[in-house]
Amino acid sequence: MLLLLSIESYIGVLCFLQRGASSSKFLNYFAKQIVPVFDKIPEEKKLDLLKTVAASSPYAVAQDSRQLLPSVVQLLKKYMPGKKVDDINHNYVECLLYTFHHLAHKTPNTTNSLCGYKIVTGQPSDRLGEDFSEHYKDFIERLTGTEDTVRAASKRLTQGMADFNKAISSAKTEEEKTKIKADQQKSTMTMRSYNNILAMSQPLHGKSPLFIGDKKITLSWMEQPKKPAASTAGGKRTQPASNGNAPLNKKGRGDGGMHNQLVNRAFEGLPRGGGRGSGRGRGRGGRGRGWGYR
């Protein structure tokens, strides 16, 4: 996998996305170099890469969104079944739908030729005179198949989660309790993923869909927003909770800390690229020739 030799050079760049740095080079690299060989990437790296792309998508500019959307739709069609199945890779689908929404929000008319939508912006790129009805039919069938699969899996998971507290109470050792609690936490994360998939797929059924471009959706693997505290007896108003993600100014928490961890995990263990570019990419030296994206 020679094309991945210098990918770790992006780590220093991605760490600064939340501070206003551009994600263009990473997203372009992902679209042009990684997506074509996605099947060849080790399984343990795929999810971390998709999580990193999802976390980067809110900060993509329109031009980058336009270039990356075809690759995202390509992967969505790969992992969204056209009919109800036993289960899907819900983590992949959640990341890809989240990325799709944020990119499409920046350049909605790009989805006309990709998904058969009818979004009018007045630009030649609308391509409204062309027939993409087959793309629309295929995309909606995949959305419907995914929703049916997720609803059935969610129902089974809900039935199983009801037994966790009983199992913890009857556990005889701390080791057994720890294992049951770990399984319970995993099931809770899976349920969040299922709920997110349904929340993001439903607005996409119309000919002119609604693309979620804000922080109403909190990815299942990110820190969940806290519920507003009850009003005090004295009538003082409580501070509102974060609207979808933890505050960005708390180092190591919310999107920022999790984002950096994901990048490190995604590229951990990949061979280092030779030459001058492999050790660059941080600080002022990260600009220009040091990012290793050639």
Side-chain angles (χ1 to χ4, degrees):
M1 306 254 329
L2 295 178
L3 58 85
L4 291 176
L5 290 180
S6 62
I7 196 170
E8 67 173 0
S9 301
Y10 284 98
I11 295 176
V13 181
L14 292 177
C15 292
F16 297 104
L17 285 179
Q18 306 245 337
R19 300 180 182 179
S22 173
S23 60
S24 297
K25 295 187 183 299
F26 168 71
L27 294 177
N28 288 333
Y29 189 90
F30 180 83
K32 296 177 181 179
Q33 302 293 340
I34 296 181
V35 172
V37 295
F38 193 74
D39 289 339
K40 298 179 181 179
I41 296 176
E43 288 297 323
E44 64 271 15
K45 303 296 181 185
K46 287 181 180 178
L47 181 56
D48 286 331
L49 283 168
L50 291 179
K51 286 181 177 181
T52 304
V53 172
S56 304
S57 62
Y59 309 99
V61 298
Q63 181 178 354
D64 298 331
S65 300
R66 192 174 297 110
Q67 293 178 357
L68 183 57
L69 263 173
S71 299
V72 173
V73 173
Q74 175 186 337
L75 290 175
L76 270 175
K77 289 182 177 181
K78 178 179 178 63
Y79 293 107
M80 290 200 312
K83 58 183 180 179
K84 182 180 177 180
V85 294
D86 290 337
D87 203 358
I88 59 172
N89 193 321
H90 58 89
N91 288 318
Y92 286 15
V93 174
E94 180 190 8
C95 288
L96 289 167
L97 278 175
Y98 184 88
T99 303
F100 176 81
H101 270 280
H102 279 278
L103 299 182
H105 182 74
K106 308 284 179 57
T107 175
N109 63 340
T110 303
T111 63
N112 292 352
S113 60
L114 296 174
C115 310
Y117 290 134
K118 298 291 185 181
I119 299 175
V120 181
T121 64
Q123 300 296 321
S125 54
D126 291 348
R127 300 177 66 177
L128 297 178
E130 302 178 55
D131 184 12
F132 297 112
S133 56
E134 287 301 315
H135 292 348
Y136 178 78
K137 179 182 178 182
D138 177 71
F139 197 68
I140 297 303
E141 285 179 352
R142 292 179 185 279
L143 286 173
T144 302
T146 298
E147 290 168 345
D148 291 343
T149 299
V150 166
R151 289 192 183 99
S154 179
K155 183 178 181 180
R156 294 194 300 268
L157 185 59
T158 300
Q159 294 170 347
M161 289 178 70
D163 298 329
F164 278 121
N165 291 334
K166 185 185 299 184
I168 292 175
S169 299
S170 60
K172 297 180 180 180
T173 65
E174 287 300 319
E175 183 177 349
E176 289 180 4
K177 290 183 179 180
T178 299
K179 184 181 183 303
I180 295 170
K181 288 180 179 179
D183 292 340
Q184 184 180 34
Q185 184 177 14
K186 182 179 179 181
S187 296
T188 300
M189 294 279 286
T190 300
M191 185 63 73
R192 288 175 184 167
S193 181
Y194 287 157
N195 290 338
N196 280 345
I197 290 172
L198 293 175
M200 290 187 288
S201 64
Q202 290 167 2
L204 299 177
H205 280 273
K207 286 281 188 179
S208 298
L210 173 66
F211 299 127
I212 303 171
D214 50 30
K215 294 182 179 179
K216 289 182 179 179
I217 299 294
T218 302
L219 290 161
S220 60
W221 39 270
M222 285 184 171
E223 183 177 357
Q224 300 299 299
K226 296 180 180 179
K227 295 181 179 180
S231 300
T232 60
K236 293 182 178 180
R237 301 176 67 180
T238 58
Q239 293 294 324
S242 170
N243 65 342
N245 289 305
L248 299 180
N249 60 345
K250 291 187 178 180
K251 186 176 182 181
R253 299 188 60 181
D255 285 350
M258 178 66 74
H259 184 66
N260 296 349
Q261 294 172 27
L262 291 173
V263 175
N264 288 326
R265 283 211 310 272
F267 305 136
E268 184 181 21
L270 292 175
R272 293 181 177 273
R276 298 168 58 187
S278 61
R280 308 280 290 277
R282 293 174 174 82
R284 298 185 61 178
R287 296 187 295 186
R289 57 185 178 182
W291 285 349
Y293 56 88
R294 300 192 183 109

